[in-house]
Amino acid sequence: MTGAAAAARRWAPPPLIASAWLRRGLALGAAIYLALALGTLRVNWRRVWEGLDRGGAFVVGFARPDFVSRWVEISEGILEGLVMTVTATAVGILISVPIGLGAARNLAPLPVYLACRGIVAASRTLQEVIVAIFFVAMFGFGPLAGVLTLSFATVGFLAKLLAEDIEDTDPAPAEAVRATGASWLQLLNYGIQPQVMPRLIGLSLYRLDINFRESAVIGIVGAGGIGATLNTAFDRYEYATAAAILMTIIAIVMTAEYGSGLIRRRVQ
Amino acid sequence: MLSVERLVKRYPTGDAALRGVDLEVPAGQVMALIGPSGAGKSTLLRCVNRLVEPTAGRVRLEGEDLTALGAAALRRARRRMGMIFQEFALVERLSVMENVLSGRLGYVGFWRSWFRRFPPADVEEAFRLLDRVELAESCDKRADALSGGQRQRVGIARALLQNPRILLVDEPTASLDPKTSRQIMRLICELCRERGLAAIINMHDVALARLFVERVVGLRQGAIVYDGPPDGLTPEVLTTIYGAEDWSEARRRGGADEEEEEEPEVDEQRLAGLT
């Protein structure tokens, strides 16, 4: 009998919230909130029903994409988008590296660090579309506004992640390089760069395909690229053309994804 | 040759790592610095080449006051002090040769080092050192492809390529197995003798220190509590340095190790096999 009693000792993981009352109260509160929130959604079912027709037309368009009738616009838009993407990524990387170095606490003195972190924060706060509207207002419609927008966004992304990678580097090799009498630039080249290079290459490739996707979005507000063409196609109910554009974008993004995966594996 | 005078280091947290250390190292002397973890051994070494800024006191190398130097002069002074590290501190994604040549960074300009165009004499000397530590065939391997003992030999070659007057050696064997530890210690001591270098070697292993050095300095809580020959490390002295413990094992193992020393051929073969 004593053996059975010993075997019956039970164990359950301790609950996240110790008080049973509080736990149940919170669960009940969440359920009530969800019910009320769903209640405030007023869905116009008739409108949904009409929309299904258009959705259907869109799906049919996808089944028969039309690359031909607007081919000139599509190819020009895609080409412009690619040019914007590559230019903006290159410019963005060139600007990001010094800012990333400045935003790494283990390399930069405090004032430089704060200034660079400020730039990164400013770039990350503003969404691409808002920046694009701003640049279009400044420089007019066209790819220049798009390149500036994407470069600006790239700096926020790359500089931040580069700085964090630099802060995570092993300090021992850097210390050893310093001990040889190396200058600051030599320290970067020998002690830091080899440690962060694979990740910098990986992030740059990743940013390249983010920039291509973003170039389609900011085109809608007039910053060049394929976005304007796509928007026009929707406005004219030319779903077959829209489908052709979307498929082209998907194909390019997937190619970029596959290519960058290959390269990233090589540089590890 | 190296003289440390009333050296004090207080970290911003308020911990006093060194409390007025005086130390004189004559040219060509290999000495061990022993003491418990946190006694300030690493801090002392790093205050010498100012990887850690001392709070007060002076460090003189061949008469030059290192603590008074500006940034550029400090870099020139660092060339004369080779450092060897506990976890080797190699740049893992660089090749063995690049790691060794980084010992010349204090001598060559930025663009030369950026394009890896070191003067032919430096490259020749690097090859000679790699031959000496038996790693010449591995010169284009990445540093992370090597074993622990091999990595430490690359670290030694890097430090020697600086053409230093003194070696600062921070626990060279802490991450190595006992046999490799001895090989590394022997190599460091041989090289110091060949080149007439002084060395300060931080160590944990008292028995190992006894085997290789002529002078032992014991550090406890940032102050020197023993300075003398390894034979003077009596149980009483070890207790002063480390605190109370049964020391017969550390002393006896020192004796046993010496007997093993008589069969060096095996070590040589193993070293050759590793390369």
Side-chain angles (χ1 to χ4, degrees):
Chain A
M1 279 328 257
T2 50
R9 279 202 287 185
R10 286 190 305 155
W11 179 87
L16 187 65
I17 300 165
S19 154
W21 272 102
L22 185 61
R23 204 162 63 232
R24 283 178 200 140
L26 283 173
L28 187 68
I32 292 171
Y33 177 81
L34 185 64
L36 290 175
L38 285 175
T40 63
L41 283 179
R42 270 186 282 168
V43 182
N44 181 343
W45 292 106
R46 208 166 57 82
R47 184 68 188 74
V48 171
W49 182 248
E50 281 170 15
L52 283 181
D53 274 356
R54 283 192 203 163
F58 189 54
V59 172
V60 171
F62 250 95
R64 266 179 283 124
D66 175 10
F67 289 89
V68 184
S69 51
R70 300 267 172 209
W71 176 243
V72 178
E73 285 92 338
I74 295 175
S75 61
E76 276 175 0
I78 291 283
L79 195 65
E80 191 176 80
L82 285 173
V83 170
M84 278 165 55
T85 304
V86 173
T87 316
T89 309
V91 171
I93 293 170
L94 287 180
I95 303 173
S96 303
V97 170
I99 293 181
L101 291 170
R105 191 66 197 97
N106 53 349
L107 287 181
L110 190 63
V112 177
Y113 168 78
L114 290 177
C116 291
R117 284 281 166 176
I119 294 171
V120 169
S123 160
R124 284 167 48 79
T125 314
L126 300 170
Q127 215 277 334
E128 277 92 337
V129 174
I130 296 168
V131 179
I133 292 171
F134 178 69
F135 278 128
V136 168
M138 269 172 82
F139 300 109
F141 292 107
L144 175 65
V147 169
L148 290 174
T149 304
L150 295 177
S151 305
F152 184 72
T154 303
V155 169
F157 174 89
L158 264 187
K160 180 186 163 71
L161 294 173
L162 177 63
E164 268 153 30
D165 203 37
I166 291 173
E167 286 172 353
D168 284 342
T169 51
D170 181 0
E175 191 182 39
V177 171
R178 232 149 51 90
T180 64
S183 65
W184 193 75
L185 286 175
Q186 288 174 324
L187 168 69
L188 290 185
N189 183 214
Y190 277 75
I192 306 289
Q193 188 192 332
Q195 296 195 57
V196 301
M197 210 54 195
R199 187 152 159 79
L200 180 60
I201 291 172
L203 288 171
S204 300
L205 291 169
Y206 179 44
R207 188 65 216 186
L208 188 74
D209 69 57
I210 294 179
N211 277 350
F212 183 71
R213 277 179 282 143
E214 290 297 340
S215 79
V217 177
I218 60 176
I220 295 171
V221 298
I226 190 66
T229 321
L230 181 62
N231 201 28
T232 312
F234 275 118
D235 287 347
R236 293 180 183 159
Y237 302 108
E238 291 173 357
Y239 292 135
T241 301
I245 295 172
L246 287 178
M247 284 172 146
T248 315
I249 293 176
I250 292 169
I252 290 175
V253 168
M254 283 177 73
T255 312
E257 173 71 30
Y258 181 71
S260 66
L262 278 183
I263 296 173
R264 261 179 284 182
R265 230 168 299 141
R266 287 289 297 274
V267 297
Q268 266 316 303
Chain B
M1 201 223 19
L2 178 79
S3 74
V4 173
E5 297 157 25
R6 311 218 47 73
L7 196 68
V8 174
K9 174 64 190 176
R10 241 185 315 277
Y11 282 107
T13 49
D15 302 326
L18 298 172
R19 310 159 187 264
V21 171
D22 288 292
L23 183 66
E24 192 77 35
V25 185
Q29 185 184 67
V30 176
M31 56 152 283
L33 194 58
I34 65 170
S37 302
K41 306 191 295 295
S42 285
T43 305
L44 179 52
L45 276 194
R46 283 169 172 71
C47 280
V48 170
N49 62 5
R50 281 175 61 191
L51 286 177
V52 168
E53 243 2 279
T55 311
R58 269 175 213 295
V59 177
R60 285 180 209 278
L61 180 67
E62 297 176 312
E64 187 182 22
D65 184 356
L66 301 181
T67 42
L69 297 178
L74 174 62
R75 285 205 301 275
R76 278 194 298 277
R78 277 179 181 159
R79 304 188 302 202
R80 289 181 283 151
M81 299 176 280
M83 196 157 186
I84 296 170
F85 295 83
Q86 177 175 0
E87 303 275 359
F88 326 124
L90 301 182
V91 183
E92 301 210 325
R93 284 203 184 86
L94 292 184
S95 67
V96 167
M97 192 48 139
E98 283 173 301
N99 269 292
V100 174
L101 282 172
S102 68
R104 295 306 285 183
L105 287 178
Y107 294 89
V108 304
F110 173 70
W111 291 110
R112 275 205 113 131
S113 66
W114 170 273
F115 290 110
R116 309 308 197 241
R117 290 264 173 273
F118 286 84
D122 291 0
V123 176
E124 178 54 35
E125 177 65 11
F127 270 121
R128 286 205 307 132
L129 281 165
L130 281 173
D131 279 331
R132 178 65 184 80
V133 300
E134 303 179 46
L135 280 172
E137 296 91 74
S138 307
C139 72
D140 285 329
K141 275 192 195 162
R142 254 167 59 154
D144 54 9
L146 303 183
S147 71
Q150 290 174 322
R151 288 186 203 200
Q152 193 55 293
R153 285 185 275 148
V154 174
I156 292 169
R158 171 176 65 188
L160 288 174
L161 194 64
Q162 287 177 229
N163 195 18
R165 308 283 180 284
I166 186 167
L167 288 181
L168 307 171
V169 191
D170 191 17
E171 312 223 0
T173 61
S175 29
L176 299 174
D177 66 65
K179 180 158 186 166
T180 313
S181 295
R182 297 242 232 118
Q183 291 167 343
I184 290 295
M185 278 302 292
R186 192 177 304 122
L187 183 62
I188 291 174
C189 294
E190 278 173 12
L191 286 165
C192 284
R193 223 173 300 131
E194 284 169 20
R195 299 169 167 247
L197 297 180
I200 304 178
I201 309 181
N202 278 357
M203 304 203 60
H204 264 310
D205 190 337
V206 177
L208 195 63
R210 281 166 186 288
L211 279 177
F212 289 102
V213 302
E214 47 201 287
R215 176 184 174 196
V216 173
V217 168
L219 206 58
R220 179 175 192 178
Q221 292 180 350
I224 290 180
V225 292
Y226 175 80
D227 187 348
D231 293 337
L233 291 173
T234 59
E236 295 73 45
V237 170
L238 287 172
T239 301
T240 328
I241 300 173
Y242 287 99
E245 183 54 74
D246 177 10
W247 296 109
S248 55
E249 191 61 19
R251 287 174 58 75
R252 197 176 55 74
R253 224 175 83 210
D257 279 348
E258 271 158 49
E259 282 160 33
E260 265 180 49
E261 278 309 284
E262 285 158 19
E263 25 177 359
E265 283 81 4
V266 186
D267 285 2
E268 299 305 322
Q269 278 166 14
R270 185 158 177 274
L271 268 176
L274 282 173
T275 52

